[in-house]
Amino acid sequence: METAALIVVLVIALALFFDFTNGFHDTANAMATPIATGALKPKVAVALAASLNLVGAFLSTEVSQTISHGIIREDQITDSTQFLALIFAGLIGAVSWNMLTWLLGLPSSSSHALFGGLIGATLVGVGVVGVNFGEVFGKVILPAVLSPLTAGIVAFLATRLAYAVTRRYDGKPDGRSGFRWGQIFTSSMVALAHGTNDAQKTMGIITLALIMAGWQNKEQAEPHIWVILACALTIALGTYLGGWRIIRTLGRGLTDVKPAQGFAAETATAATILASSAVGFALSTTQVASGSVIGSGLGRRGSKVRWGTAGRIAVGWLLTLPAAGAVGAVAALIVGWLGNWGILVDALLALAIIIGLFLRSRRNAVTAANAMSDVAESGRAVKVKKNPPPTRRQRAIIREEERRKAEEKARRKAEERERERRRAEEESRRKAEKKAKARADAKKNSDERKHLDAQKKADGKKKRADDKKRADDKGSRASKDAAPENAPQKKAAAGKGAK
């Protein structure tokens, strides 16, 4: 009994530490997009996420019941003390994988790390009969596949709707900045939803350990109030103290997220997680948030998927469950080989891994000044063109503008043709006038020449007449002058003749 009590204490302590790592590993993703778009300052965002995780942990226990009364078949377990050690081994696998991916900044899921470690340890210690694979498939694997797709589709439609409603701001560089105020609400809902889902998983582990130790009735599905309070405070504390390494958004992946896009992504994430928590589906916040970011990116015009990046993200998700399961299985094998000493060895190994990874992380300390997000990688999975193709409204505006330009061009051409016609007519008129004036001048000159010629002829004729007259007058005067001189001679001659 004393051994079982010690193992329960170790399980509770390690489960709460897992809850702490879950806080800084997953919850900070709720604030990745509002920090990227400038809606919230990093410190304010993490403090808000921590507070709302604390509240969300009290709102639902459906996911807790899935873990404590669903995944593991308690009726197939005969040695409860041994199974408590297996739970401890499973937690070692989950915590080790969580810490490693936190240190490396890999896209991973704390939830699937927990499930993988627990299932791996159970398979080694109890066998296949100890795992309810129907429940695992229905409430773990299937939601893991469908939730990112669902969140991505919802985010895609929400982004389309947001841009359609605010299409009058298409021509402005950041005309949709009002969505930043909406992001404060949506990111808060994501943090609240995370508390309703992820905090429940640790409650389920502790409740399962209490049931195996006989400290809680199997018929009681609800966790004790002190379990809820402890898990809520631990995940909130982990969110506030350790979220910087996971929430590094500045300068990475999500820096191109616009306010409308971030608003749509957070709305889809919150809706998906809250709906799943209500029916007891254990989701991965990282996967849901990443699916929302990719969907909202595709919702922007001209975007396309970078399948290489998306494939790396998917591989990281797929490796989480088996990797954590492998670590949990190894820890369970140590317990199986060494018995109670194996529990001590596992505890020392877990402590060494945690301390080693923590000290390694101090070499490159991450603060509010250089934080990045686990979701940031998903922001690179979608390539958005700097100059996306126009919307239907923009195309109509462009067509109308082109029509006006065509009409203006036609009008200018018509005016130019009219000016050319008038210039041609004016030129023709000037040429005609010039030609007519030339003809008139030519006629005038001809008439003047004719008149001068006639005048010359008349003057010549008159001169000749005058000359003749003067000649005649001169001859006449000469005759008259000669007559008196010849009169006696003529009279003598006349007398002689009479005789």
Side-chain angles (χ1 to χ4, degrees):
M1 186 63 183
E2 293 178 358
T3 303
L6 178 60
I7 296 175
V8 170
V9 171
L10 290 175
V11 167
I12 293 174
L14 192 57
L16 290 177
F17 182 78
F18 170 81
D19 205 26
F20 181 84
T21 63
N22 193 6
F24 62 68
H25 196 284
D26 273 1
T27 309
N29 291 326
M31 297 299 170
T33 49
I35 291 177
T37 60
L40 290 172
K41 299 295 183 182
K43 290 184 179 180
V44 176
V46 174
L48 183 62
S51 302
L52 291 171
N53 265 276
L54 179 64
V55 176
F58 290 91
L59 298 182
S60 173
T61 59
E62 293 296 326
V63 177
S64 170
Q65 296 175 35
T66 297
I67 295 174
S68 62
H69 290 76
I71 295 177
I72 305 302
R73 298 181 183 273
E74 295 90 346
D75 55 346
Q76 299 295 327
I77 299 170
T78 56
D79 190 347
S80 58
T81 303
Q82 180 187 7
F83 187 70
L84 285 172
L86 295 179
I87 296 175
F88 183 71
L91 283 172
I92 291 175
V95 171
S96 300
W97 183 255
N98 244 14
M99 291 292 292
L100 180 62
T101 54
W102 168 74
L103 175 66
L104 300 178
L106 297 175
S108 178
S109 166
S110 299
S111 306
H112 292 169
L114 177 62
F115 299 142
L118 187 60
I119 293 171
T122 303
L123 289 175
V124 170
V126 179
V128 178
V129 295
V131 180
N132 187 347
F133 285 101
E135 194 78 4
V136 170
F137 180 80
K139 291 195 174 182
V140 177
I141 296 177
L142 192 60
V145 175
L146 295 180
S147 60
L149 295 176
T150 303
I153 293 172
V154 173
F156 173 83
L157 296 176
T159 303
R160 287 284 189 179
L161 179 62
Y163 275 88
V165 170
T166 58
R167 61 182 179 272
R168 62 182 179 275
Y169 296 111
D170 285 343
K172 298 182 180 181
D174 196 12
R176 298 177 174 85
S177 58
F179 278 104
R180 289 193 179 98
W181 296 101
Q183 279 190 277
I184 298 175
F185 172 75
T186 54
S187 60
S188 300
M189 290 302 296
V190 173
L192 185 71
H194 184 273
T196 65
N197 198 281
D198 279 49
Q200 309 299 317
K201 297 160 189 173
T202 308
M203 298 180 198
I205 290 293
I206 296 176
T207 301
L208 180 61
L210 295 176
I211 292 174
M212 289 293 99
W215 295 1
Q216 180 172 330
N217 193 336
K218 292 183 180 181
E219 304 300 325
Q220 182 182 347
E222 294 284 339
H224 292 299
I225 186 64
W226 67 267
V227 175
I228 298 175
L229 182 61
C231 292
L233 290 173
T234 304
I235 197 171
L237 185 64
T239 300
Y240 187 74
L241 295 180
W244 302 118
R245 182 172 295 273
I246 302 301
I247 203 170
R248 182 182 300 168
T249 59
L250 309 178
R252 293 291 188 91
L254 294 179
T255 52
D256 194 39
V257 174
K258 301 300 181 183
Q261 183 183 349
F263 176 84
E266 292 155 13
T267 302
T269 300
T272 303
I273 296 176
L274 286 173
S276 300
S277 298
V279 295
F281 289 165
L283 298 182
S284 165
T285 305
T286 302
Q287 292 181 4
V288 175
S290 297
S292 298
V293 169
I294 293 174
S296 65
L298 290 174
R300 292 176 62 183
R301 299 187 309 278
S303 60
K304 62 180 181 179
V305 177
R306 290 189 179 102
W307 293 110
T309 303
R312 287 194 299 271
I313 295 172
V315 168
W317 292 348
L318 293 174
L319 287 178
T320 299
L321 199 67
V327 178
V330 170
L333 283 174
I334 294 175
V335 173
W337 291 337
L338 303 178
N340 292 336
W341 287 103
I343 299 174
L344 180 60
V345 172
D346 280 346
L348 293 176
L349 286 175
L351 185 62
I353 291 172
I354 292 170
I355 294 175
L357 292 176
F358 178 78
L359 293 177
R360 175 65 181 80
S361 69
R362 293 296 88 194
R363 296 182 185 178
N364 298 309
V366 179
T367 63
N370 62 349
M372 71 170 287
S373 173
D374 206 20
V375 183
E377 183 71 13
S378 62
R380 300 190 191 94
V382 178
K383 180 180 180 181
V384 181
K385 293 183 179 179
K386 292 183 179 180
N387 297 314
T391 61
R392 183 181 301 174
R393 179 174 178 271
Q394 288 176 324
R395 288 196 296 270
I397 294 174
I398 292 172
R399 286 195 298 269
E400 181 65 21
E401 187 67 23
E402 289 176 349
R403 185 185 64 79
R404 285 199 299 267
K405 287 182 179 179
E407 290 178 353
E408 182 67 19
K409 186 176 181 180
R411 184 182 63 79
R412 285 197 298 268
K413 285 185 176 181
E415 290 177 353
E416 185 66 25
R417 286 194 298 269
E418 182 65 20
R419 284 195 294 269
E420 288 292 334
R421 185 185 64 79
R422 290 179 181 177
R423 280 196 297 267
E425 289 179 353
E426 184 67 20
E427 186 68 21
S428 298
R429 186 182 62 78
R430 282 198 301 268
K431 287 182 179 180
E433 289 178 352
K434 186 177 181 181
K435 191 174 181 180
K437 185 178 180 182
R439 287 197 299 267
D441 291 342
K443 185 178 180 182
K444 183 179 179 180
N445 291 334
S446 178
D447 291 343
E448 287 179 354
R449 283 194 300 270
K450 288 179 181 181
H451 178 70
L452 289 175
D453 291 343
Q455 186 67 32
K456 286 181 180 180
K457 288 181 180 180
D459 290 345
K461 188 176 181 181
K462 183 178 179 181
K463 184 178 180 183
R464 285 192 301 273
D466 290 344
D467 291 342
K468 185 177 180 181
K469 184 178 179 180
R470 281 194 301 269
D472 290 344
D473 288 345
K474 186 176 180 181
S476 177
R477 282 194 303 270
S479 298
K480 287 180 180 180
D481 291 340
E485 294 177 356
N486 296 328
Q489 297 177 359
K490 288 179 179 182
K491 193 179 278 190
K496 289 178 178 181
K499 292 178 174 181

